[in-house]
């Protein structure tokens, strides 16, 4: 039986069929749906961890206890998880362990487009790259088998296009679930220097055996066609090559660390022109060149962004590899360009009020990762920087230490989920090192940007069970912050006054800007109303960046369907031209 599954759904199905019993992740596009789907299968325990490092550590414990384990994260999450991952390569596994790294070429929903194939090479762990949903499902089971056979964690690297595209997948029966016996073995699992040196040597021995496996693995295969051009490729790029160069021979690599050197030599020796087609970094190309072969790659194919058949057709035509007349015809005629739609906060988003207040106070604002990062875009333009999860607090502290004049003019903003992910240590550092930063936690009661996942502050688990909810006020006080207050960000006067007082306090302070995400808890308040006779067309209300407000015939107009009745526009209108919906009815 076949089902239409996305790559993420197929990975979850593959984990279920292959006997995974424990899974952990921190939500992050494009990986989030893996755990959401896996949690629905019987016999699987799945959890949202506070961050990716914790998720890997949970997975390590489960693997050592004998369970087949899957841990998933977006590409930048591997940066957070790298510490335990690299040493886990030394210790090895008991139950099979697979880490899914969902990379994001094109930066659709990320802060960078790093190529995590480098991580697998760096960590000296096997790397598998599926090119569609069927392969994604199959490779989960293969990764677990390889993990147990070679005593090593395995990385399964997908990209956005594989994660979110759908394809027909053959559905199988799940394997029986059982734990491998656990045996205490300090020389294997206790990484003090004396034992770690032994495991370092053992890691090289396992890599040598994996290289032999890669040479004969069915994951790596040649499709012979014409010998004038031979393409080495992996992942979703394989699909594009098949479409654009149907007459070329192809070496399709499903296992890309370690590489099958003898297979590559055989292929390279029988084609006239050798090309590597891969997204992002010249990961394969550099290794093929190091084997002594003349090869083209990034001299033709772009370093940045996603590839697709259109991109490859253009670059191969420009390089003379594809005759213009031989270019494959477009499957569908090009439609009209989609209208521009700049990303903005939702109508009624509580973050809008906070950022409007911060903009008005002309403060330096260090930002963080979440949908609130949109507060840095026009017209609010309230953020000065955004680097990575949890960086806002350290950045604000560092700015204040570097320039005392900034200490009383800088605030850090961070979401509730992000604060629990990696903000705690930054705030502890501010207290310990006698900083004076004001940290604003944007508490909307969910992980909003990735689709409203739960976290330790929501009172629910991924499995749908009730859980203790973190008391943020008590938590930050326990870290040593004496000045803690809660504001309603839809009350502009209260929010503005609180920020002014805290930045002037000269000691660490935390403002919790608390109101539920508007998409989670919809309130049915009447839409704001414009009094046309009072509106002067000053456009102050447009500075809120609310999609419900526009200008029509020189005056403000409110879309009553989009408006949630948050009343921010009523508060900013100096002419009294915008009224609460209730007032307009009276």
């Amino acid at each position: 039986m076949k089902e239409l599954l996305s790559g993420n759904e197929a990975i979850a199905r593959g984990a279920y069929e292959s006997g995974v019993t424990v899974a952990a992740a921190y939500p992050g596009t494009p990986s989030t749906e893996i755990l959401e789907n896996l949690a629905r299968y019987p016999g699987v325990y799945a959890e949202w961890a506070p961050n990716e490092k914790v998720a890997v550590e949970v997975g390590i414990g489960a693997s050592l206890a004998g369970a087949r384990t899957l841990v998933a994260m977006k590409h930048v999450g591997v940066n957070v998880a790298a510490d335990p991952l690299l040493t886990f390569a030394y210790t090895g596994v008991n139950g099979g362990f697979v880490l899914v790294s969902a990379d994001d070429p094109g930066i659709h929903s990320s802060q960078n487009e790093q190529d995590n194939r480098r991580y697998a090479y760096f960590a000296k762990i096997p790397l598998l790259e599926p090119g569609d949903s069927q392969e994604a499902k199959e490779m989960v089971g293969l990764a677990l088998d390889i993990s147990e056979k070679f005593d090593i964690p395995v990385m399964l690297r997908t990209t956005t296009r594989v994660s979110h595209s759908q394809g027909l997948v053959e559905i199988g029966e799940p394997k029986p679930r059982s734990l491998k016996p656990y045996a205490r073995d300090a020389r294997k699992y206790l990484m003090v220097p004396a034992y770690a040196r032994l495991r370092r040597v053992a890691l090289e021995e396992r890599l040598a055996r994996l290289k032999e496996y890669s040479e004969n693995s069915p994951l790596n295969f040649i499709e012979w066609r014409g010998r004038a051009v031979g393409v080495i490729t992996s992942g979703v790029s394989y699909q594009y090559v098949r479409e654009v160069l149907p007459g070329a021979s192809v070496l399709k690599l499903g296992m890309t660390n370690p590489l099958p050197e003898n297979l590559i030599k055989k292929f390279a020796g029988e084609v006239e022109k050798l090309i590597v087609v891969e997204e992002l970094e010249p990961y394969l190309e550099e290794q093929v060149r190091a084997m002594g072969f003349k090869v083209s790659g990034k001299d033709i194919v772009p370093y940045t962004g996603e590839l697709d058949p259109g991109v490859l057709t253009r670059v191969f035509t420009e390089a003379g590899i594809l005759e213009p007349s031989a270019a494959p015809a477009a499957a569908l005629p090009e439609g009209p360009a989609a209208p521009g739609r700049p990303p903005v906060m939702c109508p009624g988003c509580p973050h809008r009020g906070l950022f409007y207040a911060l903009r008005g106070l002309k403060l330096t604002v260090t930002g963080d990762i979440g949908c609130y990062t949109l507060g840095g875009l026009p017209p609010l333009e309230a953020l000065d920087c955004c680097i990575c999860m949890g960086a806002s607090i350290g950045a604000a502290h560092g700015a204040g230490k570097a320039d005392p004049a900034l200490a009383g003019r800088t605030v850090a903003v961070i979401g509730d989920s992000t604060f629990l992910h990696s903000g705690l240590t930054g705030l502890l550092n501010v207290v310990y090192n006698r900083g004076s930063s004001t940290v604003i936690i944007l508490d909307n009661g969910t992980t909003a940007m990735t689709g409203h996942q739960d976290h330790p502050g929501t009172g629910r688990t991924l499995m749908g069970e009730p859980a203790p909810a973190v008391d943020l006020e008590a938590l930050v006080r326990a870290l040593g912050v004496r000045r803690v207050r809660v504001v309603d960000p839809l009350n502009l006067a209260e929010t503005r006054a609180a920020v002014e007082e805290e930045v002037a306090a000269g000691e660490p302070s935390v403002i919790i800007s608390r109101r539920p995400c508007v998409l989670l808890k919809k309130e049915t308040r009447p839409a704001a109303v414009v009094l046309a006779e009072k509106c002067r067309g000053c456009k102050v209300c447009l500075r809120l960046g609310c999609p419900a407000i526009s200008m029509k015939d020189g005056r403000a107009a409110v879309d009553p369907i989009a408006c949630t009745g948050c009343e921010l526009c009523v508060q900013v209108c100096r002419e009294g031209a915008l009224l609460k919906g209730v007032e307009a009815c009276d």
Side-chain angles (χ1 to χ4, degrees), residues 59-69 88 91-97 144 147-149 151-153 179-183 188-189:
I60 290 172
S63 169
L64 299 190
R68 283 196 153 192
T69 303
F88 192 35
T91 68
V93 306
N94 184 23
F97 179 101
L144 291 163
S147 176
E148 293 178 349
K149 181 177 181 179
D151 187 18
I152 197 165
L179 292 178
K180 294 181 69 178
Y182 169 71
K188 183 174 189 294
Y189 297 127

Side-chain angles (χ1 to χ4, degrees), residues 81-122:
D83 194 358
L85 177 64
L86 266 67
T87 301
F88 192 35
Y90 280 38
T91 68
V93 306
N94 184 23
F97 179 101
V98 59
L99 183 150
V100 180
S101 169
D103 291 12
D104 189 20
I107 319 181
H108 295 285
S109 184
S110 307
Q111 62 268 46
N112 71 29
E113 61 173 6
Q114 67 189 47
D115 188 334
N116 276 6
R117 295 179 299 174
R118 302 280 197 195
Y119 258 120
Y121 185 86
F122 181 42

